Amino acid sequence: MDPDFSFYSRRFRMTGSLDNVYETLAGLDSPELRFAYARDLLKVHGMLPTELMRPGKELMIKREMTDKLLRIGHEHFHGRDFVLALKTYTKCVKYTEPGTVQHAYALAYRSAVYYHLWKLPLEVRYELCLTDIRRAIESQYPTQLLYKLYEQAGHTEYNLGRGEKAKLNYSECLKRLDDGVMTAEQRSQHKKLIKEYIKKCDDLEERNIPVDQHSIEKLSGGKHPVIPALSKLVKLQCSPTMGRGVFATEDINPGDVVAVDEPYISGASLHNSLLCHYDKCMKLTCSIIPCPNCSLVYFCSKECMQKANEDGHALECPIMFSIKSLPGDINLNQLAMRWFVREYFKLNLINYYVLVKKLLEIYKEPMVRGFSDSHVYNSENFVTAFSMHCNEKEISMDLLLFYFCLGAVMFEYLMISGIDIPNSYLNTIGASLVRMLFILDTHCRKLTVNAPCIPAELTKRSTLPIAYSLYPTIYLFNHSCDPNIRCSGDMSDRIRVMKAIQPIPKGSQLLMSYGVDFKKENKETRINELSDLFKFNCECQACVENWPINCYTPIRLTSLNLLNVNLADTITKECKKFMELTTNESFKQAPHLHLNYLYDFLKLLFCNVKRPFKLYENCVTWICIAHTSVKIKDLELLDLSL
Ligand SMILES: C[S@@+](CC[C@H](N)C(=O)[O-])C[C@H]1O[C@@H](n2cnc3c(N)ncnc32)[C@H](O)[C@@H]1O
């Protein structure tokens, strides 16, 4: 369902006051005054909340459902429908509180499902099984049944080839058998069996199971001295048509890594419970634990839950349910709240106030945003993100009113939850929350590059966003319909690596695509799309020179497009070679094995042929494909929309 951005204007229209509201809002030129106005307006119309909304009843009903769900889970399990059993037990894990017997049962049953879940690769299912066993043991699994869990853990470690760990678990099982409810005969039989298992472990050769090491790419030329997420080969500079941007200080080659950025702030999409919501983890996992207080965010481990609490979740937790009920985009509302509480509490009231007051005043000047008085760029993620350009002037009155009212309501919830903000700071701090909403709306909602994705269908490259993240440094790159850099690697990776896909001579700007490409769409469509989504008129070379789309791009070398006639023979020969290679099946299967060849061919054309030229554009496309490995992760083999 599309977010309802006309929620507040509809309310005011009903009271017949909308025209006046628009007029007054438009006449106020500072964000603080607009915030104060929206807050007063809501107060007058009785639309400011006076208490927090609580999950109460909803959560109780879910908890009562658990027993029934466990029974259904058993039916699926015994009917060997392991995927349905997994879904059902996972619901139970979500609905029950960690530390309770019910929670422990749900985890223990789910561990048994993982053990049998043939659809998952062996190592994955065994690791998940062990994780759930460990958690069930930590949550109050009944003492008289603990031997079963240790036995299961022993089998799983054994199957993973880890003899020593298997022995430890079997030995624990032997001890725990004394607590089991059974006859003396049964106990002695069982102990005999476990001792045989222990003996078998001695014969097991330790296997080294390769771990999926995600190698993080290194920045070409090393780290930038001021902005560590950027390469040393670039600098921040202002361009008259695009504002702040990133420019090459040396020649950059295709394949060079120009930025490695981590999300500064992120949140899993609310519909997705396959992801750890702690934003420094964001691991895809089937094995989740909900926050025991709000039950709205999930973690892959207790450690992540603890770190998330220290990083601000403890503060947003009491108002999570209220935020969930607000109009607009739930995911982004939550993200804005997370961003606000984290920075506000990190900096403290006065520091936060002083910083945002300055940023709210100067953000209109592109080169001042983020720069100190001595023109040194402040690499703090908060400054980079908070000072991001987002064309507020182009935003419709509807949306402007929406965000100021939404910010005022969110702010009220914060104050009701106990955050004490003196009156003299209130409007500035409130306006900072509204600015966060604008920034996230402009830069997060619409850019899929900011959303870790999983493939929507196994056979296609289309992807589904599973989380929303603000990558502060990536946002410094301006857009081109003919990008010379691109995000490489797996789209579900939390860390984003930007690589050059074309040669970028010293002094030129590094440009990424915000989602449109001159090869696929004509100028009019692109302009409309960019203006609709991002509210700017594209000033890239492809738009300014009105380059034709792919099917009209010249494919032949002629005196019109050949810049160096002396090299005509060499270029013709190389073009022929490129065409032969790229029609070859083995090349299509593994273009990444030919990257160096593609880079050399591209550089040859870059220097000697006028663009657009079909083979140049095709070569860029192949480089992009080779840089993007959309790995089919283990979890996507299952339909786990829980
Ligand atoms: C993600 S920000 C990029 C950094 C921005 N230039 C700044 O000063 O913060 C996107 C904004 O940059 C500007 N921009 C980016 N690409 C552009 C282009 N091709 N033509 C014109 N303006 C552009 C627009 O104002 C856009 O809203």
Side-chain angles (χ1 to χ4, degrees), residues 319-338:
I319 56 170
M320 285 293 281
F321 199 74
S322 310
I323 301 295
K324 192 184 156 210
S325 321
L326 289 175
D329 187 321
I330 302 174
N331 297 310
L332 292 196
N333 296 350
Q334 274 196 8
L335 211 53
M337 187 45 75
R338 181 166 296 175

Side-chain angles (χ1 to χ4, degrees), residues 53 55 58-59 62 94 268-273 277 289-299 313 316-317 319-325 330 334 338:
M53 299 177 80
E58 193 183 302
L59 207 61
K62 280 182 178 178
K94 277 166 69 178
S269 137
L270 260 195
H271 307 295
N272 200 298
S273 48
H277 287 212
I289 29 175
C291 163
N293 299 320
C294 64
S295 295
L296 288 174
V297 297
Y298 310 103
F299 302 103
H313 177 66
E316 66 177 7
C317 192
I319 56 170
M320 285 293 281
F321 199 74
S322 310
I323 301 295
K324 192 184 156 210
S325 321
I330 302 174
Q334 274 196 8
R338 181 166 296 175

